[in-house]
Amino acid sequence: MHMTMRWFGPDDAVKLWQLRQIPALTGVVSALSGIPSEVAWTRQGVRQLRQQVEEAGLTLRVIESIPVHEDIKLGNLRRGERITTFVESLEAVAAEGIQTVCYNFMPVFDWTRTNVAYPLPDGSTTLMFRQAEIDRLPVDAAELHLPGWAEAFTPAQLQQLRLEYAAIDSAQLRRNLVYFLQAVVPEARRLGVRLALHPDDPPWPILGLPRVVSTAADLQFILDAVPDEHSGLTFCTGSLGARPDNDLLSMAATFAPRIHFVHARNVMRHSERDFDEVPHVSRYGNTQLAAVVMRLAALCPHVPVRPDHGRMIWGETGRPGYGLYDRALGAMYLQGLIDAEHGQAGRA
Ligand code: DNO
């Protein structure tokens, strides 16, 4: 597997030279930031990003993410032009030689937590989710934004979107996803790009909005709807693993041929809808991370993998989930598992 780490561009407190010093890490996962989702990416913009990464001695391995405009998820009259924009961005990415593109199909809110600095007993802080707290959120009153989200909405935009989504149930959202895939997957094939759909995080409906990329049955339906290898998955152990009914080991085996990217992190579930993010080391959580990563290493040996969120440790401050130290520890744990699976055959 190709060990990578997410990098948020030149403004990221974590610098490329620091990533370069993590053993076995060869690649970076990134995106063009600050471009509204109605505007197509340019080849020049992608080239600049690629060159920055390459000057540091690393490879721009995955784009995470090209945003999917809400008009596409809503399936409204503007979806045609939004899909055209998405394909133009794909073209820019493909022209610069990047072959894996992550995206998600969560209405309005990307990954969501109720606390991004929750203290663990060892003095580190982590991200956590409590359903009761999310249910109490005054979502229409405040601007909601998390540090890894591609987009933020103003309270007025949020209200408007919630009105529009009132007509969209999960069956309709699923139809809109299939419509999108039927339009973009042939383009991805033409361009030689593998699309990697990221699961919902958390994997259940939140804030009254449907989510349809949450369970094994959801993933099977999506892959069967457009049976082309260019339509695949980001296998995110932390997202999928927040549900006790997702059997990650069997899902890894079932979906392996269509897994194009792996996000590896661990969660500790406290109840059906409550969890904390915990160290990558398997015994801290209940995702069976070691067994799952070894199975993925065996079945998807050429796929990029990244340690997903880390805790804040050793006094580090910065973007919650995306500090340097704990993600670097995570990368080392993952690399150990991968080497164990591959008999340490990897090149230094
Ligand atoms: C969270 C990330 C997500 C992910 C997008 C993919 O930290 O895993 O934000 O990048 O959902 O589109």
Side-chain angles (χ1 to χ4, degrees):
M1 301 183 96
H2 301 286
M3 186 59 62
T4 64
M5 206 112 121
R6 191 168 183 181
W7 179 64
F8 287 91
D11 295 337
D12 196 330
V14 179
K15 300 302 172 193
L16 288 171
W17 67 264
Q18 295 173 308
L19 298 182
R20 174 78 177 86
Q21 293 175 353
I22 298 171
L25 186 136
T26 56
V28 160
V29 173
S30 195
L32 297 188
S33 58
I35 301 183
S37 57
E38 41 275 334
V39 178
W41 294 9
T42 63
R43 178 169 182 179
Q44 195 194 358
V46 180
R47 181 184 300 145
Q48 202 184 359
L49 180 68
R50 178 177 65 71
Q51 285 172 345
Q52 281 165 347
V53 171
E54 288 176 1
E55 276 160 22
L58 294 163
T59 305
L60 180 57
R61 181 78 64 180
V62 180
I63 291 296
E64 175 178 345
S65 300
I66 298 183
V68 176
H69 197 283
E70 296 302 322
D71 289 338
I72 295 174
K73 295 177 231 171
L74 286 161
N76 66 21
L77 289 171
R78 306 197 73 161
R79 80 169 142 186
E81 65 184 279
R82 304 309 188 201
I83 288 175
T84 302
T85 302
F86 186 94
V87 171
E88 284 168 7
S89 298
L90 267 190
E91 282 168 343
V93 165
E96 289 302 309
I98 298 136
Q99 292 170 332
T100 309
V101 171
C102 177
Y103 70 102
N104 72 71
F105 214 76
M106 290 175 259
V108 190
F109 307 106
D110 197 322
W111 64 293
T112 302
R113 298 291 180 271
T114 52
N115 188 343
V116 293
Y118 177 64
L120 288 172
D122 64 5
S124 61
T125 61
T126 196
L127 300 99
M128 57 92 109
F129 184 91
R130 297 287 179 271
Q131 186 68 39
E133 287 177 36
I134 204 95
D135 292 340
R136 282 198 298 268
L137 268 187
V139 272
D140 291 335
E143 183 164 328
L144 272 179
H145 186 240
L146 272 182
W149 285 11
E151 282 187 288
F153 300 100
T154 63
Q157 284 171 320
L158 269 183
Q159 266 176 19
Q160 178 59 30
L161 277 168
R162 286 166 76 80
L163 279 178
E164 292 180 48
Y165 272 105
I168 308 291
D169 60 7
S170 55
Q172 187 58 49
L173 184 64
R174 210 171 268 124
R175 280 195 288 276
N176 295 345
L177 171 55
V178 172
Y179 182 99
F180 169 71
L181 289 173
Q182 284 169 342
V184 299
V185 172
E187 304 292 337
R189 165 177 285 275
R190 168 176 68 84
L191 296 166
V193 169
R194 289 177 296 265
L195 295 171
L197 175 57
H198 189 285
D200 304 326
D201 184 3
W204 51 79
I206 56 161
L207 302 164
L209 296 163
R211 292 190 156 190
V212 295
V213 193
S214 296
T215 64
D218 288 341
L219 301 183
Q220 192 68 61
F221 169 82
I222 293 161
L223 296 179
D224 288 348
V226 181
D228 180 315
E229 61 182 337
H230 296 85
S231 168
L233 304 173
T234 297
F235 195 84
C236 179
T237 60
S239 302
L240 295 168
R243 272 182 88 111
D245 55 345
N246 277 338
D247 175 351
L248 298 187
L249 265 179
S250 98
M251 288 165 80
T254 306
F255 300 123
R258 306 279 288 274
I259 293 175
H260 299 325
F261 184 27
V262 174
H263 283 186
R265 83 182 148 78
N266 200 3
V267 293
M268 174 60 94
R269 296 185 299 266
H270 295 294
S271 68
E272 284 265 311
R273 297 284 184 263
D274 296 330
F275 61 86
D276 300 340
E277 298 194 7
V278 290
H280 290 81
V281 178
S282 223
R283 73 188 68 146
Y284 284 85
N286 34 37
T287 56
Q288 292 187 275
L289 194 66
V292 172
V293 169
M294 290 180 83
R295 181 161 298 182
L296 289 166
L299 298 175
C300 318
H302 304 299
V303 160
V305 55
R306 71 171 179 83
D308 207 355
H309 311 161
R311 300 160 301 143
M312 283 296 167
I313 63 172
W314 302 337
E316 187 178 19
T317 56
R319 191 186 293 267
Y322 287 100
L324 174 63
Y325 303 145
D326 199 38
R327 285 191 301 151
L329 292 180
M332 287 303 86
Y333 180 69
L334 300 174
Q335 191 62 47
L337 296 168
I338 295 165
D339 283 354
E341 182 61 36
H342 290 170
Q344 301 171 49
R347 244 178 345 109

